[in-house]
Amino acid sequence: MTAGTILVTGATGTTGSRLTARLTTLGQPVRAASRTPADGSRGVDRYGFDWYDPAGHEAALRGVDRLYLVPPVAASDPAAVMLPFLERARAAGVRRAVLLSSSALPAGGPGAGKVHAALADGLFAEWAVLRPSWFMQNFHGGHAHARSLREHGELVTATGDGRVAFIDADDIAAVAARALTDPEAPCRDLILTGPRALGYAEVAAVFMDVTGRPARHRPVPAPVLRERLVADGLPEPFAALLARLDEDIAAGVEDRVTDEVRRMTGREPRDFRAFAEEAFAGDERGGRVRSGPGSASGEVPAQRLSARS
């Protein structure tokens, strides 16, 4: 399927950049839209795009027949700006939309949940909602968890002993590419996870084993986490939502593994240990690298929600 251009919003973000690269490799015409477009590359039309600036939306949609939708960062009600855009997109001839949401957000729920509901109710004839678990990339680079691990040797959450099947953003992008280019759209929501669920204490243990540096999980009450996130620069409503979602993890909501990545791509999702060994091996701040039993050989900044791009 190559007719028409695919508009990728959040194209410089965690999943958007990976998806843009995949689609370009497949020979798909891509318009890579973001607030701060990267330098142009072969086969990619870079476009300055702002959810909150409708004046640029008509040009962004020109010649487009499919959309990859990354909600605006840290928005407590992204539907307020996304749904008018999607109505315009449908009028402009867009036939398929793939939304990046979250495993924690059901149709009609907070965050991207209202957009999810609109897609499921028939806004477009062809659609999919990707509901990935928390990103493995949140533990590397400039993300809050990554900084806390590097600078303080700890992960601070309100998740208690709850477990999460963390997923690699590369696997999300691979599923998104199929959802956008397969002859038939999924027309359902896809809960995407990694191959095994881990508690945050286990994540800290993997970090410690791979880097040789001390790390631990420090559980805190949800109100303490909310205040910490606000101090880190998040809007209070969004910080409160993230704290509530940590409480859901503590209650076991995210302790599940699905086979959607394998079903959509034909391969197993990446294991956290394999991700950690690659991500931290070249980290200038990481110490020695060693592999323990069971190790494998061999992604605003993204938030832990539908704002992850």
mmCIF file of all heavy atoms in Angstrom, residues 186-227:
data_model
loop_
_atom_site.group_PDB
_atom_site.id
_atom_site.type_symbol
_atom_site.label_atom_id
_atom_site.label_comp_id
_atom_site.label_asym_id
_atom_site.label_seq_id
_atom_site.Cartn_x
_atom_site.Cartn_y
_atom_site.Cartn_z
ATOM 1 N N PRO A 186 -6.366 -3.049 11.406
ATOM 2 C CA PRO A 186 -6.823 -3.889 12.524
ATOM 3 C C PRO A 186 -8.247 -3.586 12.981
ATOM 4 O O PRO A 186 -8.995 -4.485 13.367
ATOM 5 C CB PRO A 186 -5.809 -3.565 13.638
ATOM 6 C CG PRO A 186 -4.580 -3.126 12.919
ATOM 7 C CD PRO A 186 -5.089 -2.384 11.713
ATOM 8 N N CYS A 187 -8.621 -2.288 12.968
ATOM 9 C CA CYS A 187 -9.945 -1.854 13.422
ATOM 10 C C CYS A 187 -10.248 -2.368 14.828
ATOM 11 O O CYS A 187 -11.362 -2.843 15.124
ATOM 12 C CB CYS A 187 -11.035 -2.284 12.435
ATOM 13 S SG CYS A 187 -10.925 -1.418 10.848
ATOM 14 N N ARG A 188 -9.271 -2.252 15.708
ATOM 15 C CA ARG A 188 -9.420 -2.617 17.116
ATOM 16 C C ARG A 188 -8.275 -1.998 17.890
ATOM 17 O O ARG A 188 -7.346 -1.429 17.307
ATOM 18 C CB ARG A 188 -9.447 -4.133 17.308
ATOM 19 C CG ARG A 188 -8.156 -4.844 16.884
ATOM 20 C CD ARG A 188 -8.326 -6.347 16.919
ATOM 21 N NE ARG A 188 -7.136 -7.039 16.463
ATOM 22 C CZ ARG A 188 -6.165 -7.469 17.262
ATOM 23 N NH1 ARG A 188 -6.244 -7.263 18.582
ATOM 24 N NH2 ARG A 188 -5.104 -8.087 16.778
ATOM 25 N N ASP A 189 -8.316 -2.126 19.200
ATOM 26 C CA ASP A 189 -7.189 -1.660 19.989
ATOM 27 C C ASP A 189 -6.259 -2.834 20.272
ATOM 28 O O ASP A 189 -6.685 -3.981 20.396
ATOM 29 C CB ASP A 189 -7.639 -0.963 21.277
ATOM 30 C CG ASP A 189 -8.316 -1.897 22.251
ATOM 31 O OD1 ASP A 189 -9.108 -2.744 21.811
ATOM 32 O OD2 ASP A 189 -8.064 -1.787 23.464
ATOM 33 N N LEU A 190 -4.961 -2.527 20.314
ATOM 34 C CA LEU A 190 -3.910 -3.527 20.477
ATOM 35 C C LEU A 190 -3.118 -3.213 21.741
ATOM 36 O O LEU A 190 -2.424 -2.189 21.805
ATOM 37 C CB LEU A 190 -2.977 -3.517 19.269
ATOM 38 C CG LEU A 190 -3.635 -3.614 17.879
ATOM 39 C CD1 LEU A 190 -2.608 -3.333 16.792
ATOM 40 C CD2 LEU A 190 -4.255 -4.977 17.688
ATOM 41 N N ILE A 191 -3.227 -4.055 22.741
ATOM 42 C CA ILE A 191 -2.442 -3.878 23.967
ATOM 43 C C ILE A 191 -1.077 -4.514 23.737
ATOM 44 O O ILE A 191 -0.960 -5.727 23.541
ATOM 45 C CB ILE A 191 -3.154 -4.480 25.178
ATOM 46 C CG1 ILE A 191 -4.475 -3.746 25.426
ATOM 47 C CG2 ILE A 191 -2.261 -4.401 26.413
ATOM 48 C CD1 ILE A 191 -5.279 -4.284 26.588
ATOM 49 N N LEU A 192 -0.046 -3.694 23.738
ATOM 50 C CA LEU A 192 1.312 -4.117 23.388
ATOM 51 C C LEU A 192 2.174 -4.198 24.637
ATOM 52 O O LEU A 192 2.263 -3.227 25.394
ATOM 53 C CB LEU A 192 1.933 -3.133 22.400
ATOM 54 C CG LEU A 192 1.099 -2.807 21.157
ATOM 55 C CD1 LEU A 192 1.819 -1.771 20.299
ATOM 56 C CD2 LEU A 192 0.788 -4.059 20.352
ATOM 57 N N THR A 193 2.820 -5.337 24.829
ATOM 58 C CA THR A 193 3.709 -5.505 25.982
ATOM 59 C C THR A 193 5.004 -6.172 25.557
ATOM 60 O O THR A 193 5.102 -6.734 24.466
ATOM 61 C CB THR A 193 3.056 -6.386 27.077
ATOM 62 O OG1 THR A 193 3.070 -7.763 26.644
ATOM 63 C CG2 THR A 193 1.638 -5.957 27.382
ATOM 64 N N GLY A 194 5.979 -6.109 26.460
ATOM 65 C CA GLY A 194 7.169 -6.903 26.306
ATOM 66 C C GLY A 194 6.886 -8.347 26.684
ATOM 67 O O GLY A 194 5.756 -8.708 27.019
ATOM 68 N N PRO A 195 7.930 -9.206 26.674
ATOM 69 C CA PRO A 195 7.712 -10.640 26.888
ATOM 70 C C PRO A 195 7.555 -11.068 28.336
ATOM 71 O O PRO A 195 7.167 -12.203 28.602
ATOM 72 C CB PRO A 195 8.960 -11.270 26.271
ATOM 73 C CG PRO A 195 10.018 -10.224 26.445
ATOM 74 C CD PRO A 195 9.311 -8.905 26.264
ATOM 75 N N ARG A 196 7.866 -10.157 29.296
ATOM 76 C CA ARG A 196 7.719 -10.555 30.705
ATOM 77 C C ARG A 196 7.492 -9.317 31.560
ATOM 78 O O ARG A 196 7.933 -8.216 31.224
ATOM 79 C CB ARG A 196 8.941 -11.328 31.207
ATOM 80 C CG ARG A 196 10.243 -10.541 31.180
ATOM 81 C CD ARG A 196 11.436 -11.416 31.553
ATOM 82 N NE ARG A 196 12.695 -10.717 31.428
ATOM 83 C CZ ARG A 196 13.534 -10.483 32.431
ATOM 84 N NH1 ARG A 196 13.247 -10.905 33.646
ATOM 85 N NH2 ARG A 196 14.674 -9.843 32.234
ATOM 86 N N ALA A 197 6.776 -9.523 32.654
ATOM 87 C CA ALA A 197 6.475 -8.427 33.571
ATOM 88 C C ALA A 197 7.543 -8.348 34.657
ATOM 89 O O ALA A 197 7.987 -9.372 35.185
ATOM 90 C CB ALA A 197 5.102 -8.629 34.205
ATOM 91 N N LEU A 198 7.949 -7.112 34.979
ATOM 92 C CA LEU A 198 8.980 -6.867 35.982
ATOM 93 C C LEU A 198 8.491 -5.843 36.991
ATOM 94 O O LEU A 198 7.799 -4.887 36.624
ATOM 95 C CB LEU A 198 10.256 -6.316 35.329
ATOM 96 C CG LEU A 198 10.957 -7.161 34.274
ATOM 97 C CD1 LEU A 198 12.055 -6.346 33.608
ATOM 98 C CD2 LEU A 198 11.543 -8.417 34.909
ATOM 99 N N GLY A 199 8.882 -6.007 38.242
ATOM 100 C CA GLY A 199 8.700 -4.950 39.216
ATOM 101 C C GLY A 199 9.826 -3.934 39.081
ATOM 102 O O GLY A 199 10.875 -4.219 38.490
ATOM 103 N N TYR A 200 9.632 -2.742 39.622
ATOM 104 C CA TYR A 200 10.677 -1.719 39.515
ATOM 105 C C TYR A 200 11.941 -2.103 40.281
ATOM 106 O O TYR A 200 13.038 -1.685 39.914
ATOM 107 C CB TYR A 200 10.134 -0.361 39.968
ATOM 108 C CG TYR A 200 9.321 0.327 38.903
ATOM 109 C CD1 TYR A 200 7.988 -0.010 38.691
ATOM 110 C CD2 TYR A 200 9.878 1.290 38.073
ATOM 111 C CE1 TYR A 200 7.240 0.606 37.691
ATOM 112 C CE2 TYR A 200 9.139 1.911 37.075
ATOM 113 C CZ TYR A 200 7.816 1.562 36.890
ATOM 114 O OH TYR A 200 7.082 2.166 35.901
ATOM 115 N N ALA A 201 11.795 -2.915 41.301
ATOM 116 C CA ALA A 201 12.989 -3.406 41.993
ATOM 117 C C ALA A 201 13.799 -4.312 41.071
ATOM 118 O O ALA A 201 15.045 -4.292 41.093
ATOM 119 C CB ALA A 201 12.592 -4.158 43.263
ATOM 120 N N GLU A 202 13.109 -5.092 40.235
ATOM 121 C CA GLU A 202 13.816 -5.952 39.279
ATOM 122 C C GLU A 202 14.486 -5.116 38.193
ATOM 123 O O GLU A 202 15.583 -5.451 37.737
ATOM 124 C CB GLU A 202 12.830 -6.939 38.667
ATOM 125 C CG GLU A 202 12.288 -7.965 39.640
ATOM 126 C CD GLU A 202 11.197 -8.824 39.036
ATOM 127 O OE1 GLU A 202 10.047 -8.332 38.941
ATOM 128 O OE2 GLU A 202 11.499 -9.969 38.643
ATOM 129 N N VAL A 203 13.840 -4.037 37.770
ATOM 130 C CA VAL A 203 14.464 -3.131 36.799
ATOM 131 C C VAL A 203 15.753 -2.564 37.380
ATOM 132 O O VAL A 203 16.787 -2.527 36.709
ATOM 133 C CB VAL A 203 13.501 -1.989 36.423
ATOM 134 C CG1 VAL A 203 14.225 -0.923 35.608
ATOM 135 C CG2 VAL A 203 12.319 -2.537 35.642
ATOM 136 N N ALA A 204 15.694 -2.119 38.635
ATOM 137 C CA ALA A 204 16.890 -1.581 39.287
ATOM 138 C C ALA A 204 17.983 -2.633 39.369
ATOM 139 O O ALA A 204 19.179 -2.342 39.193
ATOM 140 C CB ALA A 204 16.538 -1.051 40.673
ATOM 141 N N ALA A 205 17.599 -3.879 39.621
ATOM 142 C CA ALA A 205 18.587 -4.954 39.720
ATOM 143 C C ALA A 205 19.265 -5.205 38.382
ATOM 144 O O ALA A 205 20.481 -5.450 38.320
ATOM 145 C CB ALA A 205 17.918 -6.225 40.231
ATOM 146 N N VAL A 206 18.494 -5.150 37.285
ATOM 147 C CA VAL A 206 19.093 -5.312 35.963
ATOM 148 C C VAL A 206 20.056 -4.170 35.678
ATOM 149 O O VAL A 206 21.180 -4.379 35.190
ATOM 150 C CB VAL A 206 17.997 -5.390 34.870
ATOM 151 C CG1 VAL A 206 18.622 -5.331 33.481
ATOM 152 C CG2 VAL A 206 17.175 -6.655 35.027
ATOM 153 N N PHE A 207 19.643 -2.939 35.979
ATOM 154 C CA PHE A 207 20.529 -1.789 35.792
ATOM 155 C C PHE A 207 21.825 -1.972 36.576
ATOM 156 O O PHE A 207 22.926 -1.733 36.059
ATOM 157 C CB PHE A 207 19.815 -0.517 36.246
ATOM 158 C CG PHE A 207 20.678 0.719 36.211
ATOM 159 C CD1 PHE A 207 20.822 1.456 35.051
ATOM 160 C CD2 PHE A 207 21.348 1.148 37.358
ATOM 161 C CE1 PHE A 207 21.611 2.595 35.015
ATOM 162 C CE2 PHE A 207 22.141 2.283 37.327
ATOM 163 C CZ PHE A 207 22.283 3.004 36.152
ATOM 164 N N MET A 208 21.708 -2.417 37.818
ATOM 165 C CA MET A 208 22.882 -2.592 38.657
ATOM 166 C C MET A 208 23.798 -3.680 38.103
ATOM 167 O O MET A 208 25.025 -3.543 38.080
ATOM 168 C CB MET A 208 22.438 -2.937 40.082
ATOM 169 C CG MET A 208 23.565 -3.034 41.094
ATOM 170 S SD MET A 208 22.951 -2.973 42.809
ATOM 171 C CE MET A 208 21.715 -4.268 42.797
ATOM 172 N N ASP A 209 23.201 -4.781 37.615
ATOM 173 C CA ASP A 209 24.002 -5.875 37.089
ATOM 174 C C ASP A 209 24.708 -5.490 35.799
ATOM 175 O O ASP A 209 25.870 -5.841 35.573
ATOM 176 C CB ASP A 209 23.099 -7.092 36.849
ATOM 177 C CG ASP A 209 23.879 -8.351 36.549
ATOM 178 O OD1 ASP A 209 24.870 -8.626 37.236
ATOM 179 O OD2 ASP A 209 23.504 -9.058 35.590
ATOM 180 N N VAL A 210 24.021 -4.735 34.939
ATOM 181 C CA VAL A 210 24.595 -4.363 33.648
ATOM 182 C C VAL A 210 25.667 -3.287 33.799
ATOM 183 O O VAL A 210 26.704 -3.326 33.120
ATOM 184 C CB VAL A 210 23.480 -3.896 32.690
ATOM 185 C CG1 VAL A 210 24.066 -3.241 31.445
ATOM 186 C CG2 VAL A 210 22.602 -5.075 32.292
ATOM 187 N N THR A 211 25.443 -2.315 34.683
ATOM 188 C CA THR A 211 26.370 -1.190 34.799
ATOM 189 C C THR A 211 27.387 -1.348 35.926
ATOM 190 O O THR A 211 28.400 -0.652 35.943
ATOM 191 C CB THR A 211 25.613 0.124 35.054
ATOM 192 O OG1 THR A 211 24.982 0.062 36.344
ATOM 193 C CG2 THR A 211 24.572 0.368 33.973
ATOM 194 N N GLY A 212 27.097 -2.236 36.887
ATOM 195 C CA GLY A 212 27.977 -2.362 38.035
ATOM 196 C C GLY A 212 27.836 -1.235 39.034
ATOM 197 O O GLY A 212 28.664 -1.092 39.941
ATOM 198 N N ARG A 213 26.776 -0.440 38.924
ATOM 199 C CA ARG A 213 26.557 0.682 39.835
ATOM 200 C C ARG A 213 25.333 0.408 40.699
ATOM 201 O O ARG A 213 24.388 -0.256 40.266
ATOM 202 C CB ARG A 213 26.348 1.965 39.029
ATOM 203 C CG ARG A 213 27.587 2.361 38.227
ATOM 204 C CD ARG A 213 27.258 3.374 37.164
ATOM 205 N NE ARG A 213 26.507 4.482 37.704
ATOM 206 C CZ ARG A 213 25.664 5.228 37.000
ATOM 207 N NH1 ARG A 213 25.440 4.945 35.742
ATOM 208 N NH2 ARG A 213 25.042 6.248 37.554
ATOM 209 N N PRO A 214 25.329 0.894 41.929
ATOM 210 C CA PRO A 214 24.202 0.608 42.828
ATOM 211 C C PRO A 214 22.908 1.251 42.337
ATOM 212 O O PRO A 214 22.901 2.340 41.774
ATOM 213 C CB PRO A 214 24.650 1.212 44.166
ATOM 214 C CG PRO A 214 25.668 2.246 43.799
ATOM 215 C CD PRO A 214 26.366 1.716 42.585
ATOM 216 N N ALA A 215 21.805 0.556 42.561
ATOM 217 C CA ALA A 215 20.482 1.070 42.206
ATOM 218 C C ALA A 215 19.442 0.357 43.045
ATOM 219 O O ALA A 215 19.621 -0.793 43.436
ATOM 220 C CB ALA A 215 20.201 0.852 40.715
ATOM 221 N N ARG A 216 18.348 1.053 43.318
ATOM 222 C CA ARG A 216 17.270 0.460 44.105
ATOM 223 C C ARG A 216 15.952 1.102 43.703
ATOM 224 O O ARG A 216 15.918 2.150 43.062
ATOM 225 C CB ARG A 216 17.494 0.683 45.593
ATOM 226 C CG ARG A 216 17.453 2.163 45.984
ATOM 227 C CD ARG A 216 17.436 2.374 47.479
ATOM 228 N NE ARG A 216 17.286 3.795 47.823
ATOM 229 C CZ ARG A 216 16.572 4.239 48.840
ATOM 230 N NH1 ARG A 216 15.925 3.385 49.626
ATOM 231 N NH2 ARG A 216 16.481 5.537 49.101
ATOM 232 N N HIS A 217 14.870 0.454 44.100
ATOM 233 C CA HIS A 217 13.534 1.025 43.933
ATOM 234 C C HIS A 217 13.097 1.606 45.263
ATOM 235 O O HIS A 217 13.154 0.925 46.286
ATOM 236 C CB HIS A 217 12.542 -0.057 43.488
ATOM 237 C CG HIS A 217 11.121 0.429 43.408
ATOM 238 N ND1 HIS A 217 10.049 -0.310 43.873
ATOM 239 C CD2 HIS A 217 10.588 1.594 42.913
ATOM 240 C CE1 HIS A 217 8.923 0.357 43.676
ATOM 241 N NE2 HIS A 217 9.223 1.507 43.093
ATOM 242 N N ARG A 218 12.649 2.893 45.247
ATOM 243 C CA ARG A 218 12.151 3.521 46.477
ATOM 244 C C ARG A 218 10.668 3.824 46.306
ATOM 245 O O ARG A 218 10.296 4.798 45.667
ATOM 246 C CB ARG A 218 12.934 4.800 46.782
ATOM 247 C CG ARG A 218 12.435 5.530 48.045
ATOM 248 C CD ARG A 218 13.471 6.489 48.583
ATOM 249 N NE ARG A 218 13.714 7.612 47.723
ATOM 250 C CZ ARG A 218 13.029 8.774 47.768
ATOM 251 N NH1 ARG A 218 12.036 8.920 48.642
ATOM 252 N NH2 ARG A 218 13.345 9.774 46.969
ATOM 253 N N PRO A 219 9.796 2.999 46.877
ATOM 254 C CA PRO A 219 8.357 3.258 46.779
ATOM 255 C C PRO A 219 7.953 4.440 47.646
ATOM 256 O O PRO A 219 8.455 4.616 48.760
ATOM 257 C CB PRO A 219 7.723 1.957 47.301
ATOM 258 C CG PRO A 219 8.837 0.961 47.378
ATOM 259 C CD PRO A 219 10.091 1.742 47.577
ATOM 260 N N VAL A 220 7.058 5.263 47.131
ATOM 261 C CA VAL A 220 6.518 6.402 47.877
ATOM 262 C C VAL A 220 5.005 6.421 47.688
ATOM 263 O O VAL A 220 4.474 5.856 46.729
ATOM 264 C CB VAL A 220 7.133 7.739 47.403
ATOM 265 C CG1 VAL A 220 8.638 7.761 47.626
ATOM 266 C CG2 VAL A 220 6.783 8.006 45.950
ATOM 267 N N PRO A 221 4.268 7.100 48.582
ATOM 268 C CA PRO A 221 2.832 7.254 48.371
ATOM 269 C C PRO A 221 2.547 8.106 47.130
ATOM 270 O O PRO A 221 3.355 8.945 46.734
ATOM 271 C CB PRO A 221 2.358 7.967 49.645
ATOM 272 C CG PRO A 221 3.439 7.717 50.652
ATOM 273 C CD PRO A 221 4.717 7.648 49.870
ATOM 274 N N ALA A 222 1.375 7.898 46.536
ATOM 275 C CA ALA A 222 1.011 8.628 45.317
ATOM 276 C C ALA A 222 1.057 10.149 45.485
ATOM 277 O O ALA A 222 1.535 10.846 44.583
ATOM 278 C CB ALA A 222 -0.360 8.181 44.830
ATOM 279 N N PRO A 223 0.588 10.718 46.614
ATOM 280 C CA PRO A 223 0.681 12.176 46.753
ATOM 281 C C PRO A 223 2.122 12.691 46.734
ATOM 282 O O PRO A 223 2.391 13.775 46.203
ATOM 283 C CB PRO A 223 0.008 12.444 48.101
ATOM 284 C CG PRO A 223 -0.919 11.286 48.303
ATOM 285 C CD PRO A 223 -0.195 10.113 47.715
ATOM 286 N N VAL A 224 3.028 11.915 47.301
ATOM 287 C CA VAL A 224 4.445 12.315 47.287
ATOM 288 C C VAL A 224 4.974 12.291 45.856
ATOM 289 O O VAL A 224 5.702 13.195 45.426
ATOM 290 C CB VAL A 224 5.273 11.391 48.204
ATOM 291 C CG1 VAL A 224 6.764 11.694 48.059
ATOM 292 C CG2 VAL A 224 4.836 11.545 49.655
ATOM 293 N N LEU A 225 4.605 11.259 45.106
ATOM 294 C CA LEU A 225 5.041 11.181 43.713
ATOM 295 C C LEU A 225 4.479 12.346 42.909
ATOM 296 O O LEU A 225 5.192 12.953 42.105
ATOM 297 C CB LEU A 225 4.598 9.859 43.090
ATOM 298 C CG LEU A 225 4.967 9.700 41.619
ATOM 299 C CD1 LEU A 225 6.481 9.643 41.429
ATOM 300 C CD2 LEU A 225 4.304 8.466 41.020
ATOM 301 N N ARG A 226 3.203 12.669 43.120
ATOM 302 C CA ARG A 226 2.592 13.791 42.387
ATOM 303 C C ARG A 226 3.365 15.075 42.637
ATOM 304 O O ARG A 226 3.687 15.819 41.696
ATOM 305 C CB ARG A 226 1.140 13.966 42.829
ATOM 306 C CG ARG A 226 0.420 15.061 42.040
ATOM 307 C CD ARG A 226 -0.983 15.304 42.555
ATOM 308 N NE ARG A 226 -0.961 15.899 43.899
ATOM 309 C CZ ARG A 226 -1.440 15.317 44.985
ATOM 310 N NH1 ARG A 226 -1.978 14.107 44.927
ATOM 311 N NH2 ARG A 226 -1.385 15.925 46.162
ATOM 312 N N GLU A 227 3.706 15.359 43.885
ATOM 313 C CA GLU A 227 4.459 16.570 44.200
ATOM 314 C C GLU A 227 5.836 16.540 43.546
ATOM 315 O O GLU A 227 6.338 17.569 43.061
ATOM 316 C CB GLU A 227 4.595 16.714 45.714
ATOM 317 C CG GLU A 227 3.262 16.977 46.426
ATOM 318 C CD GLU A 227 3.397 16.933 47.934
ATOM 319 O OE1 GLU A 227 4.544 16.789 48.420
ATOM 320 O OE2 GLU A 227 2.367 17.041 48.627
#
